[in-house]
Amino acid sequence: MRQDELYSELMRGSLDLLVLSTLRDGPKYGYLIQQTLRDESGQRIRMQAGSLYPILHRLEEEKLVKASWDSTTGRRRKWYELTAAGRKHLQHRATQWRDYVQCLQGLLQPILDGLPQPAT
């Protein structure tokens, strides 16, 4: 398995969490969500619109986000924001991911300690 295939596989299991996390500070429209993911991930996450919008629509159906149309910026855009249930879900899933990452770190640290350090 190539490294980029593994990365894609890992991301697939966390897409909802990634999208919800971009809305933690307030409403955003689709392109701003994409830009936030790209910027906050150090350019490692580049979610295409064809992947993002089905996720947003499903999250809206699940009542984790709510959407509203706005054109005060001069362009009609659909803005998405977390609902109370969405905030609770985000907190719960973030806690699960933290625990999972800590578990992986504990299991993999002996292996990583044996690897040569990258040149700085």
Side-chain angles (χ1 to χ4, degrees):
M1 180 179 288
R2 293 186 353 239
Q3 184 176 3
D4 58 336
E5 289 173 358
L6 176 61
Y7 192 72
S8 294
E9 189 176 313
L10 291 171
M11 265 196 38
R12 204 171 310 124
S14 59
L15 291 175
D16 289 5
L17 180 61
L18 294 171
V19 171
L20 290 171
S21 73
T22 65
L23 300 172
R24 70 187 177 277
D25 296 327
K28 290 182 177 61
Y29 57 91
Y31 180 73
L32 284 178
I33 293 170
Q34 290 174 296
Q35 190 174 33
T36 300
L37 283 170
R38 193 171 44 251
D39 294 347
E40 290 185 1
S41 71
Q43 308 299 313
R44 289 184 296 264
I45 299 173
R46 295 179 176 271
M47 186 178 293
Q48 301 299 316
S51 298
L52 175 62
Y53 287 104
I55 291 169
L56 286 168
H57 295 153
R58 186 173 38 71
L59 293 172
E60 188 177 5
E61 286 175 9
E62 293 172 4
K63 308 271 191 257
L64 300 176
V65 300
K66 64 180 178 178
S68 58
W69 288 97
D70 183 64
S71 56
T72 57
T73 60
R75 187 171 179 189
R76 191 166 187 251
R77 292 187 168 116
K78 194 171 188 179
W79 289 76
Y80 298 88
E81 65 181 299
L82 287 175
T83 62
R87 277 193 191 285
K88 186 175 181 179
H89 182 79
L90 174 59
Q91 182 66 45
H92 177 72
R93 296 286 289 148
T95 300
Q96 287 179 321
W97 266 98
R98 183 197 58 209
D99 294 346
Y100 179 67
V101 167
Q102 288 173 345
C103 176
L104 279 178
Q105 284 177 316
L107 291 168
L108 298 177
Q109 197 60 52
I111 298 163
L112 296 172
D113 288 345
L115 295 175
Q117 295 296 314
T120 54

